[in-house]
Amino acid sequence: MNLDYLNYPYASQRMATFAKNGMVATSQPLAAQAGLDILKKGGNAIDAAIATAATLTVVEPTSNGIGGDAFALVWVKGELHGLNASGPAPKSISIDAVKAKGHEKMPTHGLLPVTVPGVPSAWAELSRRFGKLPLTEVLAPAIKYAEEGYPLSPVLAKYWKAAYNKYKETFKDPEFNSWFDTFAPEGRAPEIGEVWSSEGHANTLRSIAETNAKSFYEGELADKIDAFFKEHGGFLSKEDLADYKPQWVQPISVNYRGYDVWEIPPNGQGIVALMALNILNGFDIKEKESVETYHKQIEAMKLAFSDGKKYVTDPEKMSVSAVHLLSEEFAAQRRNLIGDEALAPEPGTPPRGGTVYLAAADSEGNMISYIQSNYMGFGSGIVIPGTGISLQNRGHDFSLDPSHENALEPGKKTYHTIIPGFLTKDGEAVGPFGVMGGYMQPQGHTQVIMNTIDFHLNPQAALDSPRWQWIEDKKVLVEPNFPSHVAQALARRGHQIQVALDGGSFGRGQIIWRDPKTGVLAGGTEARTDGSIASW
């Protein structure tokens, strides 16, 4: 790939990490090490990813939990497999039922935005199909951290405290009491270096491991979730849990300058990154630190996002297919709208017809791109008492307008922000990549891929490069180390540029690339969080 491993003026002094036998890259050092331990015990990359993911629910609860959703792209024996473990809305919910409770739009927190969690099913299904070790062994590190505790890392403590300070002012109803019992047991958020543990979390993980997640969807844990929602007037039921199954799906891709970039198909928003790359494919992009390059990137992303937000929802409910959204005809139509000035994007008409991310690879050539999330930090704020099960709030993205593509319906899956990415070339795996962080994710995917393919940056430099983030209309945030002369030039073209001092909104990524000739792995991890690579 001719990546530049030495020279990039905006990168930190960190270099890419190299290894031969195995590698795990994620946002928390303890979780990365848990995955590496599983590799050393004879597990493969899929086992390592599950171990890392389960540990992340313990050591980074500010971003994910047992009650979240997950997606994965898995490379095994020369083939890429996609897993959609996102859950639908409860069968008993409806627009009228939500409005009857006094809401004109889906609330952010509480019982109403909770959809069926997919995370435990993802672990069990990945283990069943591709794992080498039993789930009891793979989840053992996570159980140990939950039981014995661990000291908080700096970025984790920052977001934990911010959540607590917000929640203590807003979470007044009794259904939120268990959040405080679980995550603020001393009446405050734990501090940097302070040890936090959760016996309920450990017991839940042990139950999931021993039953291959059946206890969560059909057994004792399902009973506890059902009882809690009945007690507090929610919609999620044991029937919803029992009927849920994760789905193996065919990944979607575009060819970008000779490389195939892969994403999970809708209901995920990965197609937004592919649409943007499809638009950009028609431009001759040569220089990275150029106003022309950034202008085209931003404009392409605006157009892709406006189309994604209009059309992406549960794939069985979409009025436009992914094939049509990714067609060259549609890309050309959208590309022709990009001129010299910033535009206010509107959806086109296609031809008819708060998250954790991890990457893992092993010496056998297996690789996995995996992402799980509760959404907006801790999620709904609902924790099932005594279990450590922190539930997501994915239903917040549903519309209560019946005419909207993503309108709330019983049993429907919503537009989903979390997306794993994967890169191949000529049928060979290059490797997994991802950038977590809400609507920043497809923007991060696009920037990382262009940094890699167009500008030949190594994995660490590709992640360290300053990022931009389109917000809405013509508003664009840039990081403090974004080139000032480029920011000023963009402003002259009509972009409303703002420098954001908090880097947390620009996503947190991981990359592992594999040399097909030698099997050597090259990894990059995120400086914007407690990112870590464990390798051997």
Side-chain angles (χ1 to χ4, degrees), residues 454-466:
D454 289 290
F455 310 124
H456 312 295
L457 300 187
N458 72 70
Q460 192 58 60
L463 290 170
D464 288 341
S465 175

Side-chain angles (χ1 to χ4, degrees), residues 220-251:
E220 56 169 342
L221 297 173
D223 288 334
K224 290 179 180 180
I225 295 169
D226 182 83
F228 185 84
F229 273 74
K230 279 186 169 64
E231 178 184 354
H232 295 283
F235 292 97
L236 188 64
S237 71
K238 188 174 182 180
E239 180 187 358
D240 294 315
L241 295 166
D243 287 347
Y244 178 71
K245 295 290 184 295
Q247 295 176 306
W248 290 103
V249 296
Q250 181 62 44

Side-chain angles (χ1 to χ4, degrees), residues 307-326:
D307 293 325
K309 290 296 289 181
K310 178 174 176 60
Y311 296 114
V312 172
T313 184
D314 189 315
E316 296 184 4
K317 306 287 185 178
M318 282 178 62
S319 62
V320 175
S321 73
V323 171
H324 294 130
L325 289 170
L326 295 178

Side-chain angles (χ1 to χ4, degrees), residues 88 168 235 263:
K168 71 178 180 180
F235 292 97
E263 301 276 358

Side-chain angles (χ1 to χ4, degrees), residues 80-310:
L80 189 64
H81 307 265
L83 182 68
N84 181 330
S86 66
K91 291 184 178 66
S92 60
I93 203 169
S94 66
I95 290 175
D96 289 342
V98 173
K99 288 186 173 181
K101 289 181 177 288
H103 300 278
E104 289 305 312
K105 63 179 182 178
M106 285 296 287
T108 303
H109 299 105
L111 299 163
L112 296 183
V114 177
T115 51
V116 177
V119 160
S121 74
W123 300 343
E125 184 62 12
L126 287 168
S127 178
R128 179 197 68 79
R129 185 166 181 184
F130 295 119
K132 291 173 66 177
L133 301 179
L135 205 54
T136 48
E137 187 169 358
V138 172
L139 264 57
I143 294 168
K144 186 173 183 180
Y145 278 123
E147 211 155 44
E148 299 179 4
Y150 66 93
L152 268 68
S153 51
V155 176
L156 170 65
K158 170 188 172 181
Y159 288 113
W160 203 315
K161 180 176 284 189
Y164 172 77
N165 289 339
K166 177 183 177 181
Y167 293 170
K168 71 178 180 180
E169 301 298 328
T170 57
F171 286 0
K172 302 298 185 182
D173 295 325
E175 60 261 34
F176 296 113
N177 290 344
S178 186
W179 186 93
F180 293 98
D181 294 340
T182 303
F183 295 114
E186 304 296 324
R188 57 173 174 78
E191 301 287 345
I192 297 172
E194 187 174 1
V195 174
W196 176 83
S197 62
S198 172
E199 184 179 352
H201 202 131
N203 291 335
T204 293
L205 288 170
R206 189 175 290 110
S207 177
I208 289 170
E210 291 173 350
T211 66
N212 290 313
K214 286 186 179 179
S215 64
F216 189 92
Y217 295 97
E218 302 173 19
E220 56 169 342
L221 297 173
D223 288 334
K224 290 179 180 180
I225 295 169
D226 182 83
F228 185 84
F229 273 74
K230 279 186 169 64
E231 178 184 354
H232 295 283
F235 292 97
L236 188 64
S237 71
K238 188 174 182 180
E239 180 187 358
D240 294 315
L241 295 166
D243 287 347
Y244 178 71
K245 295 290 184 295
Q247 295 176 306
W248 290 103
V249 296
Q250 181 62 44
I252 56 175
S253 69
V254 296
N255 187 275
Y256 184 73
R257 310 195 198 284
Y259 290 83
D260 290 312
V261 186
W262 297 88
E263 301 276 358
I264 294 285
N267 56 315
Q269 66 173 347
I271 195 171
V272 172
L274 299 184
M275 286 191 286
L277 289 170
N278 230 14
I279 294 170
L280 290 162
N281 226 352
F283 293 119
D284 184 15
I285 294 176
K286 296 178 180 178
E287 185 183 353
K288 184 180 190 307
E289 304 310 331
S290 139
V291 63
E292 198 62 44
T293 295
Y294 283 111
H295 173 70
K296 286 182 168 63
Q297 287 180 324
I298 293 166
E299 294 302 282
M301 184 54 64
K302 285 181 187 177
L303 293 167
F305 246 125
S306 62
D307 293 325
K309 290 296 289 181
K310 178 174 176 60

